Amino acid sequence: MTTKQKNILIISITVVIFIILVVCVVIAGHVTLNDEATVGNTAGNLNNNGYFCEHEGRIYFANAYDNYSLYSMNPDETDVKKLRGGSSSHICAGGKYLYYAVENQSGGSDLGSVRGAYGIYRCQLNGKNATGMDRCHVATMQLCGNYLYYSKLDPKSSMSLEKIKIDKKDKLTINPDAIINPASYVDGTIYYCGTDQDHYLYALNTANDTASVVWKGNLWNPIYQNGYVYFMDIGNNYRLCRYSVYDDMVEVLTNERLDLFNVYGNYIYYQTNSKTEPALKRMSIDGSSQEIVREGIYQNINITSEYVYFNAFGESTPVYKTSTYGPVNVNTFDAGMQAALQETE
């Protein structure tokens, strides 16, 4: 082989390697889009800070025993793995990615955390390749098809509804000065309550981002499920009701005053507001079979196919759990605690 032929061969190999590297970079940076019907998390979980999210047989959760770092596990709490550090919340999952908000002013000490980080992030399901979507403070958010809709908090205390495509190619302000909770997303529509002049039930069509009044009620934290909107009735001491979209009728599910609630399948878990007998309770979705889960004041009611997780008001740990559908039997979330302890060893 002549010197000229060797040079040509070397140049050819170099060009091929360069092309391969460029292709790899392009593939690595490509974001696979979702089906338009994709929903990132249940509305009830997101209304309770979105600390748990179930996706394709896996639970992604913010581990309170490890400063709310991002973990994953099986629904039966086996195979617990730490994915990333930092205080995560409003976890959503769709396709090949996780989306989550971070409020981590001090930062963590491990390689998965970013000191002083905050904002919305996207990462792979294994926690790798985290990408910042928007550096902002978030009140709540939801993955709606191929867009993240989120309530953005401004340092001056104003709030706006924003959306960004999951590949970051399209970012828009939907409403520059309204408090809109996008958690309840079903079939291309976000159901939310007004917060300024009224507390009516509204529907935001995500195809064109136009809003319309569904019902002139007086409600808070609406959750749409199977033709019903479950809500707290502001005008009647925050009792729990449901509104039939098809029949235009309201049913009272309990006259107790509520602090918060979550709807999952055939059950509603809710925290009562009582000076003498506060308790976390559950009922069937029609208001029947009411029973006490645990006496006291609790928050962050997050539900998966196997367990309901919650913690005492003002205390991040211990995290309690009970069976979602089985008999009430409250225990502590020991799998999360043990996984966090192993990280510090």
Side-chain angles (χ1 to χ4, degrees):
M1 182 180 291
T2 65
T3 301
K4 183 177 181 179
Q5 289 174 324
K6 289 181 179 179
N7 290 336
I8 293 175
L9 179 61
I10 291 172
I11 293 173
S12 298
I13 293 174
T14 303
V15 171
V16 171
I17 293 174
F18 177 76
I19 292 174
I20 292 173
L21 290 173
V22 170
V23 171
C24 289
V25 170
V26 171
I27 292 175
H30 175 71
V31 176
T32 303
L33 297 181
N34 301 319
D35 183 278
E36 291 297 332
T38 299
V39 181
N41 200 345
T42 64
N45 282 356
L46 293 174
N47 285 342
N48 285 270
N49 287 312
Y51 287 141
F52 287 76
C53 176
E54 190 162 1
H55 175 62
E56 296 183 347
R58 195 76 177 164
I59 307 297
Y60 300 92
F61 67 101
N63 193 346
Y65 293 99
D66 187 9
N67 192 35
Y68 292 97
S69 293
L70 190 60
Y71 280 65
S72 72
M73 64 181 177
N74 292 327
D76 63 359
E77 299 183 349
T78 58
D79 191 29
V80 184
K81 297 179 179 179
K82 184 172 182 176
L83 304 181
R84 301 195 64 82
S87 298
S88 305
S89 64
H90 303 100
I91 302 169
C92 294
K96 299 181 178 180
Y97 303 98
L98 298 176
Y99 306 86
Y100 56 98
V102 171
E103 290 289 343
N104 189 30
Q105 299 301 326
S106 60
S109 58
D110 67 300
L111 295 177
S113 63
V114 180
R115 190 166 297 278
Y118 65 92
I120 300 173
Y121 290 82
R122 182 194 71 225
C123 71
Q124 295 175 348
L125 296 178
N126 60 8
K128 295 182 178 180
N129 299 324
T131 300
M133 302 292 288
D134 192 1
R135 189 171 174 81
C136 64
H137 298 285
V138 176
T140 187
M141 72 178 189
Q142 175 66 284
L143 174 64
C144 308
N146 286 305
Y147 284 88
L148 287 170
Y149 282 76
Y150 54 102
S151 294
K152 182 176 180 178
L153 293 169
D154 185 86
K156 298 180 181 179
S157 299
S158 63
M159 185 178 292
S160 61
L161 180 65
E162 312 279 332
K163 79 172 185 179
I164 186 169
K165 198 169 184 179
I166 60 174
D167 59 5
K168 293 185 63 176
K169 292 183 178 179
D170 189 8
K171 183 178 182 297
L172 294 170
T173 298
I174 306 304
N175 195 312
D177 51 14
I179 302 174
I180 295 175
N181 179 0
S184 187
Y185 173 70
V186 179
D187 295 332
T189 300
I190 294 172
Y191 294 90
Y192 68 96
C193 63
T195 56
D196 297 327
Q197 297 180 348
D198 58 65
H199 292 93
Y200 297 165
L201 177 65
Y202 287 84
L204 179 71
N205 184 341
T206 58
N208 52 25
D209 292 325
T210 58
S212 59
V213 176
V214 177
W215 174 56
K216 294 183 178 180
N218 191 10
L219 66 161
W220 191 251
N221 275 2
I223 296 177
Y224 184 100
Q225 179 177 289
N226 298 330
Y228 288 98
V229 175
Y230 297 82
F231 66 95
M232 294 160 64
D233 185 354
I234 296 176
N236 290 282
N237 201 35
Y238 289 87
R239 65 185 182 182
L240 185 64
C241 301
R242 68 176 182 177
Y243 168 74
S244 173
V245 175
Y246 302 119
D247 298 331
D248 191 30
M249 294 180 60
V250 174
E251 298 176 66
V252 178
L253 302 180
T254 178
N255 281 305
E256 295 176 287
R257 181 184 174 94
L258 266 63
D259 285 331
L260 45 88
F261 71 101
N262 195 338
V263 182
Y264 190 95
N266 295 322
Y267 278 111
I268 302 172
Y269 286 79
Y270 58 103
Q271 174 64 45
T272 62
N273 183 310
S274 170
K275 292 182 179 180
T276 57
E277 298 178 324
L280 176 64
K281 297 184 177 182
R282 78 173 181 184
M283 67 170 76
S284 297
I285 54 173
D286 62 358
S288 63
S289 304
Q290 298 181 14
E291 59 183 321
I292 294 176
V293 175
R294 189 177 177 90
E295 294 179 348
I297 304 175
Y298 300 93
Q299 61 183 6
N300 300 323
I301 307 169
N302 279 240
I303 307 179
T304 71
S305 57
E306 294 289 334
Y307 295 105
V308 179
Y309 298 92
F310 55 96
N311 57 275
F313 180 78
E315 300 177 6
S316 59
T317 59
V319 177
Y320 298 100
K321 68 172 186 178
T322 188
S323 172
T324 300
Y325 292 108
V328 170
N329 182 25
V330 177
N331 294 295
T332 52
F333 180 30
D334 294 339
M337 180 178 63
Q338 293 299 329
L341 289 174
Q342 291 176 6
E343 289 293 327
T344 61
E345 292 179 353

